[in-house]
Amino acid sequence: MNWRIPLSDIDFDEAESLAVQGVLKSRWLTMGKVTQEFEVAFAAHVQAKHAIAVTNATAALHLACLALGLGPGDEVIVPSLTFVATANAVRYVGATPVFADVVSQDDLNISPKAIESLVTSRTRAIIVVHYAGYPCDMEAILSIARQHNLFVIEDAAHAVGSELDGRPLGTWGDVGCFSFFSNKNMTTGEGGMMTTDNDDLAHKLNRLRSHGMTSLTWDRHKGHAYSYDVVDLGYNYRIDEIRAAIGLVQLSKVELNNERRRSLTQVYRDALQELAPQVAVPFQNHVGKTSAHIMPILLPSETRRKEFIDSMKENGIQTSIHYPPIHTFTAYKDAMVWDLPVTEDVAKREITLPLYPAMSNDDVVVVVSAIQASLNLS
Ligand SMILES: *Cc1c(COP(=O)(O)O)cnc(C)c1O
């Protein structure tokens, strides 16, 4: 389908192509100096002590759970209004996801109050998701974590470049997990990053990423080591030099692109005021600096969403949904009955509008007019 206005679009130019060609010409394709450079640059960017690159954010979340020692019998509190990978990671290590509601129709992030009410003697960790890059209430969440001795993992897949109190998201908890999937604010096709300030954790994450081995191919190549031991049941979750090279270029663009996303978000907010109160725009009162990863709105409860999406499509405008809540998926059906009234309400009404740096202010006006027209239909 050829969209007049797609949901998202990547910002690639000659620089990414040249970076990839450079790696191909070097004939060293994985775990080399480009990956190290990417990790150092990313760590500096988000002000983390360590950054460790992996194949994707799902792998990052998996290794974060493993490195923190989560396992069978442990409960991990997660939002249901997120991508399924957030909760899958908990299950990969045999632990149990416990779903917490979001704050409100305006704040689609995990609710500290809900977290507090779900803590049991088995709770070991909380995974927060900064929805669309808007910061969770980290102060309240860290305070609960300290009180009950819980780890905090940040699913920062949306949040590269986001900040709270001047401090980048992904560095508030024990481990931050970033995604470079093709629709994220910076992309390597598939790719991810783990960040931490804890030296021991960094060491573990690094080892788990590469089969639990004590030395890496790169070190052996450089003559630093000739053999190795395997001390953990690790995985092959390594990124390659080709993706790392793309990542370096993308990282250099992300702040300017985020600025453009924030500016477009403001244009949307202003234009959508004309459709209030029927159409609600979440995160009106957000604090901190957002990466403006996506543009969510809430339709009136009586609107038939499928017909709305089809009508937008007829206007050449691609939309999406963030998210079908995890606790409603077949793979998550169990004996538990979750009490998530806000999640269930917003998940039925949410629509994600197009948002990407190359979008024009006029495109926003076109989208908002199409919303107006489409709502009259239903
Ligand atoms: C994209 C995304 C992930 C998964 O990232 P991958 O890099 O595709 O594995 C996890 N959590 C959230 C909230 C995401 O948006």
Side-chain angles (χ1 to χ4, degrees):
M1 171 115 192
N2 225 339
W3 299 100
R4 179 176 177 197
I5 307 178
L7 185 66
S8 68
D9 193 18
I10 54 173
D11 172 17
F12 271 19
D13 55 47
E14 201 55 29
E16 281 83 1
S17 301
L18 287 172
V20 168
Q21 284 169 33
V23 169
L24 298 184
K25 281 187 191 137
S26 80
R27 307 181 65 80
W28 188 272
L29 299 184
T30 190
M31 293 301 281
K33 67 177 192 331
V34 184
T35 300
Q36 285 177 352
E37 231 178 282
F38 182 35
E39 290 174 337
V40 167
F42 194 87
H45 197 93
V46 304
Q47 296 166 39
K49 195 165 174 198
H50 305 278
I52 299 148
V54 282
T55 41
N56 53 62
T58 306
L61 288 162
H62 180 193
L63 295 190
C65 290
L66 261 187
L68 292 171
L70 305 177
D74 296 337
E75 292 178 357
V76 180
I77 299 174
V78 299
S80 179
L81 194 68
T82 175
F83 185 57
V84 67
T86 313
N88 278 352
V90 174
R91 288 177 63 185
Y92 293 160
V93 299
T96 306
V98 172
F99 295 110
D101 211 348
V102 296
V103 177
S104 67
Q105 273 77 5
D106 183 65
D107 183 345
L108 307 184
N109 280 323
I110 192 166
S111 151
K113 257 200 209 114
I115 293 174
E116 195 140 41
S117 73
L118 292 167
V119 172
T120 71
S121 58
R122 291 176 300 279
T123 309
R124 295 278 316 282
I126 304 163
I127 305 183
V128 302
V129 178
H130 305 290
Y131 186 110
Y134 296 95
C136 292
D137 185 348
M138 292 312 291
E139 210 131 312
I141 291 164
L142 289 179
S143 151
I144 297 167
R146 272 191 296 271
Q147 203 180 322
H148 299 277
N149 207 13
L150 311 175
F151 296 116
V152 175
I153 298 169
E154 287 175 87
D155 180 337
H158 296 187
V160 63
S162 288
E163 290 175 8
L164 179 61
D165 297 339
R167 183 168 156 197
L169 298 186
T171 62
W172 285 73
D174 294 284
V175 184
C177 301
F178 293 86
S179 172
F180 309 133
F181 183 63
S182 22
N183 64 7
K184 299 301 193 319
N185 287 29
M186 57 175 279
T187 182
T188 59
E190 296 277 359
M193 192 73 81
M194 309 178 288
T195 54
T196 184
D197 288 341
N198 180 312
D199 296 344
D200 285 343
L201 264 180
H203 194 69
K204 265 189 210 161
L205 291 167
N206 202 24
R207 208 165 55 205
L208 286 167
R209 166 182 68 169
S210 200
H211 307 286
M213 286 159 65
T214 53
S215 79
L216 306 174
T217 324
W218 175 247
D219 296 319
R220 288 197 300 284
H221 176 74
K222 301 233 295 190
H224 295 158
Y226 69 93
S227 186
Y228 57 84
D229 189 14
V230 173
V231 292
D232 271 324
L233 179 63
Y235 294 80
N236 179 357
Y237 280 168
R238 295 182 304 245
I239 201 166
D240 58 60
E241 294 280 278
I242 302 161
R243 286 181 173 80
I246 298 171
L248 270 167
V249 178
Q250 286 278 292
L251 182 63
S252 74
K253 295 176 172 179
V254 78
E255 284 315 314
L256 219 58
N257 279 340
N258 283 358
E259 199 53 54
R260 180 65 191 145
R261 286 172 181 276
R262 283 188 286 271
S263 153
L264 284 162
T265 300
Q266 195 52 53
V267 177
Y268 262 126
R269 286 187 190 281
D270 293 343
L272 285 164
Q273 257 172 19
E274 289 188 27
L275 307 183
Q278 285 91 335
V279 173
V281 185
F283 299 106
Q284 294 287 6
N285 308 311
H286 80 275
V287 293
K289 186 168 154 188
T290 179
S291 61
H293 170 52
I294 53 173
M295 184 67 216
I297 60 168
L298 301 182
L299 298 176
S301 346
E302 68 276 9
T303 301
R304 284 190 297 263
R305 187 164 58 173
K306 173 76 173 64
E307 285 169 26
F308 177 84
I309 292 170
D310 288 345
S311 164
M312 294 295 280
K313 190 173 172 178
E314 274 161 31
N315 285 283
I317 297 164
Q318 188 181 21
T319 58
S320 173
I321 293 167
H322 289 84
Y323 291 90
I326 300 175
H327 72 283
T328 63
F329 290 141
T330 305
Y332 276 81
K333 286 263 185 288
D334 57 23
M336 282 300 297
V337 178
W338 302 104
D339 182 29
L340 306 167
V342 188
T343 296
E344 287 183 3
D345 174 54
V346 299
K348 281 194 202 100
R349 296 162 54 205
E350 196 273 344
I351 283 283
T352 303
L353 304 176
L355 181 63
Y356 49 92
M359 202 176 166
S360 71
N361 291 9
D362 288 345
D363 289 337
V364 172
V365 174
V366 171
V367 173
V368 173
S369 309
I371 296 170
Q372 190 155 26
S374 303
L375 281 177
N376 290 339
L377 282 179
S378 42

